[in-house]
Each structure stands twice: as structure tokens, then as C-alpha cells.
Amino acid sequence: MSAIDDLFKKLRSENKKALMPFVTAGDPDVEFTAAVLEEIVGRGAHLCEVGIPYSDPIADGPVIQASYTRALEKKVKLASILQMLGGVTPKLTAPVVTMVSYAIVFRHGLEQYCDDAKAAGAQGLIVPDLPVEESPLLAKICGERDLSLIQLVTPTTPRDRALKICETSSGFVYYVSVTGITGERTELPPDIVENVSWLRSETPLPICIGFGINQPEHVKLLAPVADGLIVGSAIVRRVATAAERPRDEVLKEVGDYVAELLAAFE
Amino acid sequence: MSTTPTSPVSPTLPDAAGRFGTFGGRYVPETLVKALDQLADEYAKAKSDTAFQEELSLLFRDFVGRPSPLYHARRLSEQCGGAQIYFKREDVNHTGAHKINNTIGQCLLTMRMGKGRVIAETGAGQHGVATATACAHFGLPCVVYMGEEDIRRQKPNVFSMKLLGAEVRPVTSGSRTLRDAINEAMRDWMSSVDDTHYILGSVVGPHPFPQIVRDFQSVIGRETIDQCRERLKRLPDVVVACVGGGSNAAGMFYPFVEHTDVELVGVEAGGRSDKPGDHASPLTYGQPGVLHGSFSYVMQDEDGQTCDVHSMSAGLDYPGVGPEHSYWKDSGRVQYTSCGDTTAMEAFDATAASEGIMPALESSHAVAKAMEIAKGRKPDEVVVVCLSGRGDKDAMEIARLKGVDFG
């Protein structure tokens, strides 16, 4: 049982849903990433996704891509990200998972990456370019360390395959709302509620929806059928303004935005 | 030709998971898995469908102009003073390179799958032109992603693509070269996968692309074997091809793999020097890792971030390589080496002056290595080079590199 399992067990017993903001590590620097994590958890975020910048992120839209590019241009390294996480996670009341390309995990060494992420206080991994067929070894290594390996289901996933993915996922299942890349959208696909409801009737695993979500209206639509909602680009876009604005102002704005989304859960 | 266009030489690789030994596989977002499964299924059906093979054969003959000649480069051979050098003339194909072999095949697959739109990436522009050409032939709308740096280097090809009705979308992210064009094409496909086929231009990417592109390109090697047997009454001693992503090399080498007495030499771009960032030689200097959905040799830093690479040749300016090449390297079947910008340019000049043929800058890397190999061999030995494309597209870039100003 990882801390993520405990979180959803508790939330389900209270009939509550999770808000899970995504933050790019190292944009504009790792110190500010730590400050953002403290701020959003302080405002009530239930789980944080920390994006490890990658040079070739094909599932990401312009906002997250650009944040990765900026962080890498400043030569942010995995070691400094993990060091930052090690410093901030003891202060957080919410679990942290890393969103990381398999290119990085492989290069670091699967066991080494999991050991180091665990030591830094991370509770799980999302590896967006590791489909279920390629994941058994990493799933085993994560399992041995009580780390959750969160798998993704998308609108293009056939239903029998979605069930297979749920069997190998741990922590929760990441339901991708749209056929596409990350980024804020005004409209979400009309069949999303039906699809998630079906999946939820088939698996005991918590289901969290991500991609495109950025408005309180989205929260009101999706929170009833999901266990949690993931908000990425809308957070990253706000954090990015810290490059040219006073940091306390940006922190407050990000915190207010998280609070606004949380209010829509009520 | 008695062989069908995609008859396998070694039917065992890749395996069902798309593995060549430990290399290959499928490291992509879940969104794309269904389309890759569909492509693999459709290709398996097409491969055993004689009507598909006949249609492809006729298009190769009447539209591409196959078989391409095997040409004895007599004066170049005399200058080297050793073995006889032959060119497999992929440069005389329609659109001027080997790329059309793959795009015709994949357009047929696109239509079999009932998809109505095509996207592609391009580096040198040859794959972009070949895709635009095939799409015009079949009446399919086509979008080509191309890095801004490559658009600058390959203006004539950009204009050709537009004349052929394709939309060329400039890519401004990263190093603005082939690697970034692949990223953008993949991102387009993430959103358009239901009605769009992505015609990947090299033996890279997730399964089944490395297999499909190799099979469509292997007409090069099969024709070479037939032509050598007919004219020389034997197989060549050495076969040389340039390797960027590695599609012309894979197509040339694959039918030769089982003929173990034929030496196979792949030539990567050595660029300016052997320092990181100065070359594009992952098989020579890189190590195994993941890029663009496949496990293969790649130029990465210690964190797994893809490195910027350099070659004067846009078609070789890529930090990764097809997984089957990694397999052939580790198994020792193919010897991989690299050739720098300057040496490749000298080979271009020598070929233009002594044979009346301007090879593409990509192919010039293979010619340079073939000249070096020929020098150390006996006159009755045969070295075949895959002349993968023609150099007309490079004229302006060569002028720039040579400091010629047209005013």
C-alpha cells in the first residue's frame, strides 16, 4: 500500500474527490517549484504531479513543452530536482508523484530511479511513454518499493484493453480526457462522462481525469464521476509568469486558482 | 524481378513485440497504441495479399521507375586504384531518392485502412517531397512538418512540396531539425489518429514502423542482388550505405544479411569532429536509450535528454537510429563507421567531376567510405554503394559551404 492508496481510501470514505495539480520541476528554478508545491498543498491540493523536464515530450502541448524547454535551457538536472523534492516532501501533507519519460528512467536505471525517487519522498510514477506491454519490469520494481505505477487509459483505448491496463496500474488510473496532447481546452468530449462511468463500474482502482481541464465548469462536470482531477497546463502557465513577476504575487495567484477549483468540488 | 516487393529474407525479426534482439519496441503514449496495432494488422494482411504486392510492383515500375540501375563508376574506381565501385542508383528514382519506395507503400496502406489524411516529417526534404508526391498521386491531403533550420537548408524541396499540394508546417521547437519535426508530427498524430496516417520516413519510431519501412525499402537490396548475379555472376564483396535514421541502409542491407560473406558497412555523419554536438553518429559514439518510441542507440546526456547533433547533411542530422541497425551493430553483422563533413564534400566533388553524377550530401558520406575501402582492395573486388539520392537539392547549401555568393 502506498500513500496514494491511503489517500483515495480516505477520500472515498468521506465521499470526496482529489485535486491534483501538475508542476514542471525547475521552471523557472527548483527553489520556486518547491515553493509552489508548498503553496498548492497549503491551499488543499490532494496530490501533486511533478513533471521531470524532457527534451522530446510528444504527449505534451505548447505550454508544458515550453516549460520543459525553459527548464532544460537552464540546465536543470534530475539530481537537483530529486534533491529539491527530498527537501520539500517532508513539509507536504499530500503525496507527490513524478511524471517522467521512460527515456530518463531507463538512462538513470530503473531500480536506481525508483530508489532515488522514493528516497526523495515520491510515492509514485507516471511514465506517459510506457504502454502496458512495455511496463511489467518497471511495475515489478515499483511494487517492491511500495511505489505506485500509474497507467493511462485514453479515448482510443479499446474497452478490453482498458481493463487490462487497470489490472496492472497501481495507485490510480489516469484517464486521458481527449484524443490529443496536454493543454487547456474550453470544451471536453461529450462522451467522457459515460466512458469514465463505465470504467469506474469495472475497476476498484480510483480513476483520475486529466488533459484539458482548467475551469470550475469542468470540475463540476467531471468530479461526480471521477476520484480526482488533474490540472496541468493551467498551473504551468501561471507559474511561468514568475520569470518576470514578483514571486509572492505568482504564488498567491496559483494558490487562488487552486482554491477556486477546489471550491467547485463542493 | 522474381521476388515480390516485400518478401522477407529473415521472417523472424522483429518479433511480435517489435523487437530486434533487445532493440525496438514501442515506447509511445497510450493514445497511439490502437493506431499502431491497426497499422501492424493491416500490414500483415497486405504482405500476404498478392493483389497488394502486384499493385506495389506496378507502381515501382511505372511511377518510381524501378528497377534502378546498377552503375559501374569506372573513372572513380580508376582514381582510387583498387576495387571496382558500383552505384546502386536510387538517385534516378522519381523524386530523386529512395524515399519514394516507402511513401508509395505507406500510401497504399493508408487507403487500405480507410484513412483520409496523411502527415509526415522531413529532414532533407526528400521524404517530404516523396510523401507529397505519393499523396498527390493518390489524391490524399498531406501535411509535412519540417524544422526551420532544414527549411533554410533545403529551399528547393520546400517549394516542390508546395507545388505538389502539400502544406509545409515549419517547426520552431528545439534544434529545429529532423528530430523536432518528428516530435511535431507525433503531436499532430496524437490528436488526428482516428482519420490520419503518419507516414514515418525512416526505419525509426515505434513498432511496426521500423519493419514496414525496411520492407518497402528492401527492394533496393533485392534488385542489387539480382543485378550483381546477372552481370557479375556473383555477389559484391562490400556493400556501403549512409545511415541517418537508416532507411536506405536497412533496405540495402536486409536482403544481404543472410549472405554472410558480403561485408556490410554503414556510414554515419561524422560532422565537424568526434566531440559531442559536432557529429550525428549514435552507433559510433552513443549508447542504447529511448527516443521517438524505440529503444536503440542514441545521443543522450547523462540524464537521458536527447543531445543536439550536427551534420552538414540535413538527412543525417538526427541523434537516433533505427533499432535494427543497433541489432546489426551488436550482433557484428554490419560494421558502422563515420565520415566527416569535409571528407564527404571531397567525395561529392570527386563523383561530380569524374562520373557526371552529383550525389546527395547524405549519399556522399557512403561514397567517401567506399572510395577509402576500394583503395585497399584488389581490382577484381566489387564495392557497391547505395547512392540514395541526387545532389541537386543540395546545390545552394554546397554553394554556401564553399563560400560561393550568387549575389
Side-chain angles (χ1 to χ4, degrees):
Chain A
M1 290 285 280
S2 84
I4 298 168
D5 301 320
D6 297 336
L7 169 72
F8 284 107
K9 204 173 156 194
K10 178 167 172 286
L11 287 174
R12 276 191 171 181
S13 73
E14 294 167 355
N15 201 23
K16 283 187 177 167
K17 307 300 168 79
L19 178 66
M20 305 157 58
F22 169 99
V23 183
T24 294
D27 182 35
D29 51 50
V30 289
E31 292 75 22
F32 194 63
T33 306
V36 172
L37 290 172
E38 282 196 74
E39 173 70 22
I40 59 183
V41 172
R43 295 291 194 115
H46 300 91
L47 188 149
C48 299
E49 268 181 45
V50 174
I52 311 293
Y54 175 50
S55 53
D56 299 82
I58 59 173
D60 280 307
V63 170
I64 292 176
Q65 251 183 72
S67 73
Y68 282 0
T69 302
R70 282 191 302 269
L72 291 173
E73 274 169 0
K74 291 190 175 170
K75 313 267 183 237
V76 70
K77 293 288 175 191
L78 182 60
S80 57
I81 293 169
L82 293 173
Q83 192 183 1
M84 173 275 290
L85 281 181
V88 74
T89 49
K91 298 184 228 169
L92 303 178
T93 53
V96 166
V97 301
T98 60
M99 170 80 93
V100 58
S101 168
Y102 190 67
I104 295 171
V105 175
F106 179 84
R107 184 60 194 249
H108 205 68
L110 273 57
E111 296 192 344
Q112 191 70 49
Y113 183 89
C114 289
D115 284 341
D116 292 353
K118 175 104 184 167
Q123 309 285 349
L125 278 67
I126 303 171
V127 187
D129 49 5
L130 192 72
V132 63
E133 291 79 8
E134 306 283 3
S135 70
L137 180 59
L138 186 61
K140 177 174 169 283
I141 292 167
C142 285
E144 288 162 0
R145 288 157 178 78
D146 275 340
L147 284 168
S148 298
L149 180 62
I150 295 128
Q151 310 263 22
L152 296 92
V153 170
T154 74
T156 63
T157 309
R159 286 194 163 181
D160 54 344
R161 182 177 166 84
L163 298 180
K164 187 179 153 199
I165 292 170
C166 290
E167 277 168 29
T168 60
S169 192
S170 55
F172 62 92
V173 174
Y174 190 133
Y175 189 89
V176 176
S177 68
V178 297
T179 303
I181 52 180
T182 60
E184 298 171 68
R185 286 165 174 82
T186 318
E187 303 236 342
L188 295 173
D191 54 358
I192 180 174
V193 169
E194 186 202 326
N195 288 337
V196 174
S197 301
W198 171 80
L199 192 58
R200 210 154 177 250
S201 70
E202 296 286 331
T203 177
L205 266 190
I207 299 172
C208 300
I209 308 175
F211 280 41
I213 298 168
N214 64 95
Q215 299 168 9
E217 290 70 29
H218 295 156
V219 173
K220 290 192 173 112
L221 173 74
L222 299 177
V225 294
D227 292 277
L229 302 179
I230 300 152
V231 179
S233 296
I235 302 275
V236 172
R237 176 168 61 81
R238 286 172 170 83
V239 171
T241 61
E244 61 256 2
R245 289 171 61 203
R247 294 191 167 195
D248 49 354
E249 221 174 80
V250 177
L251 276 184
K252 182 174 183 303
E253 188 180 305
V254 172
D256 288 349
Y257 177 63
V258 166
E260 185 193 350
L261 292 176
L262 279 167
F265 278 95
E266 299 304 322
Chain B
M1 301 292 142
S2 55
T3 49
T4 56
T6 55
S7 69
V9 171
S10 163
T12 54
L13 293 180
D15 65 15
R19 294 278 173 184
F20 305 89
T22 57
F23 297 105
R26 192 185 269 179
Y27 299 93
V28 292
E30 170 64 20
T31 300
L32 298 180
V33 170
K34 187 182 164 196
L36 293 170
D37 281 342
Q38 182 193 15
L39 179 61
D41 288 348
E42 197 60 51
Y43 179 64
K45 283 183 216 152
K47 211 168 155 177
S48 55
D49 178 353
T50 48
F52 177 87
Q53 297 294 347
E54 274 168 27
E55 188 175 7
L56 186 59
S57 288
L58 283 178
L59 285 162
F60 275 1
R61 188 189 73 189
D62 300 337
F63 190 66
V64 179
R66 304 207 70 91
S68 68
L70 182 70
Y71 166 80
H72 186 191
R74 285 201 174 80
R75 296 186 64 214
L76 193 69
S77 303
E78 277 168 25
Q79 279 172 33
C80 294
Q84 304 307 309
I85 298 172
Y86 285 76
F87 293 158
K88 177 60 176 167
R89 296 287 308 273
E90 291 300 298
D91 62 316
V92 301
N93 290 341
H94 182 39
T95 71
H98 67 291
K99 293 291 187 185
I100 190 86
N101 302 329
N102 170 47
T103 60
I104 291 286
Q106 287 205 47
C107 269
L108 290 177
L109 290 176
T110 305
M111 292 182 294
R112 279 181 76 105
M113 291 186 291
K115 292 189 170 181
R117 175 177 176 260
V118 162
I119 55 172
E121 85 296 339
T122 196
Q126 291 303 109
H127 175 58
V129 169
T131 306
T133 298
C135 286
H137 178 83
F138 293 111
L140 292 164
C142 173
V143 172
V144 179
Y145 290 90
M146 187 170 188
E148 267 194 338
E149 170 64 10
D150 291 336
I151 287 177
R152 183 193 65 72
R153 288 193 279 194
Q154 306 287 345
K155 287 201 181 88
N157 274 341
V158 176
F159 187 56
S160 296
M161 283 183 262
K162 290 178 182 167
L163 290 175
L164 290 159
E167 178 190 344
V168 180
R169 290 194 187 158
V171 176
T172 56
S173 56
S175 57
R176 295 168 292 129
T177 60
L178 177 56
R179 161 191 155 204
D180 309 286
I182 294 177
N183 287 338
E184 274 316 306
M186 289 264 191
R187 287 180 193 125
D188 181 312
W189 208 29
M190 287 282 290
S191 306
S192 62
V193 65
D194 287 333
D195 66 350
T196 297
H197 178 56
Y198 175 20
I199 299 189
L200 193 45
S202 193
V203 288
V204 301
H207 177 64
F209 283 113
Q211 176 190 11
I212 289 178
V213 179
R214 175 202 69 194
D215 287 354
F216 286 139
Q217 292 295 359
S218 65
V219 66
I220 303 171
R222 281 196 310 277
E223 284 179 4
T224 304
I225 288 175
D226 290 347
Q227 289 163 327
C228 285
R229 281 185 170 146
E230 193 184 319
R231 287 179 35 201
L232 309 172
K233 311 298 176 203
R234 67 183 188 92
L235 293 182
D237 299 283
V238 189
V239 175
V240 186
C242 65
V243 181
S247 70
N248 89 84
M252 179 58 119
F253 293 163
Y254 183 57
F256 278 104
V257 163
E258 63 176 354
H259 300 286
T260 49
D261 47 348
V262 179
E263 290 174 52
L264 305 176
V265 179
V267 187
E268 296 190 292
R272 291 180 290 251
S273 82
D274 58 5
K275 283 194 217 122
D278 272 4
H279 60 79
S281 305
L283 289 165
T284 311
Y285 301 110
Q287 46 189 314
V290 173
L291 175 65
H292 291 148
S294 181
F295 179 62
S296 192
Y297 278 81
V298 60
M299 297 304 304
Q300 283 183 335
D301 73 6
E302 71 281 3
D303 267 2
Q305 310 290 353
T306 314
C307 297
D308 286 343
V309 292
H310 164 79
S311 169
M312 68 169 175
S313 138
L316 302 182
D317 199 352
Y318 182 64
V321 68
E324 194 162 20
H325 287 292
S326 294
Y327 172 70
W328 287 335
K329 173 190 159 76
D330 279 12
S331 67
R333 180 61 190 95
V334 181
Q335 183 202 332
Y336 293 92
T337 177
S338 74
C339 164
D341 288 347
T342 310
T343 311
M345 188 64 87
E346 285 164 8
F348 173 91
D349 289 337
T351 309
S354 63
E355 296 296 342
I357 293 171
M358 294 201 301
L361 285 179
E362 293 78 12
S363 321
S364 299
H365 289 70
V367 175
K369 191 51 71 175
M371 289 167 67
E372 184 191 313
I373 291 168
K375 276 177 191 151
R377 304 271 174 151
K378 297 193 207 78
D380 62 349
E381 290 189 66
V382 171
V383 178
V384 174
V385 189
C386 186
L387 208 76
S388 54
R390 66 181 181 220
D392 308 51
K393 69 179 172 67
D394 296 313
M396 297 304 285
E397 180 66 1
I398 290 168
R400 192 185 70 84
L401 291 166
K402 287 179 183 288
V404 177
D405 186 5
F406 290 103

